[in-house]
Amino acid sequence: IDFVGPDIVAGKVQDRQVAIKEGSTLRLRWYYKGFLHNLLSKQDSKEKWNSFVFFNPGFGHPHLKKDWIPTLEQLIGKGHP
């Protein structure tokens, strides 16, 4: 799982491997500090992930929703789940 967002501490937290079951692990990586739409516009990362999960994003919050519009437009326009 790659974490992206303005409040994460990218580059300051070591990646972690979490055991899921015997022989299977999940990697947690604090990948990019900033908005996802900025990352997607910098590189062709769109093909890197096959789905997206938003943890407490504030889509409907009056002071936060405007910041989400560019990210949502990019993801919806590309047909990502």
Side-chain angles (χ1 to χ4, degrees):
I1 297 176
D2 292 336
F3 292 92
V4 174
D7 297 323
I8 68 163
V9 287
K12 296 182 181 179
V13 177
Q14 189 173 15
D15 293 354
R16 296 185 182 142
Q17 297 285 333
V18 178
I20 302 298
K21 61 180 180 177
E22 187 175 330
S24 181
T25 60
L26 176 68
R27 181 179 69 164
L28 303 175
R29 184 167 67 154
W30 283 254
Y31 186 68
Y32 180 77
K33 181 177 178 68
F35 293 105
L36 181 62
H37 62 268
N38 292 335
L39 174 63
L40 295 176
S41 66
K42 284 184 176 183
Q43 57 191 14
D44 191 23
S45 299
K46 297 174 212 62
E47 300 304 320
K48 182 174 184 158
W49 302 288
N50 55 17
S51 63
F52 297 87
V53 176
F54 299 93
F55 296 103
N56 192 23
F59 294 142
H61 190 282
H63 301 292
L64 301 176
K65 64 183 178 181
K66 68 176 173 32
D67 293 331
W68 282 101
I69 292 172
T71 294
L72 294 173
E73 286 176 342
Q74 282 193 23
L75 296 180
I76 291 168
K78 299 298 180 189
H80 290 291

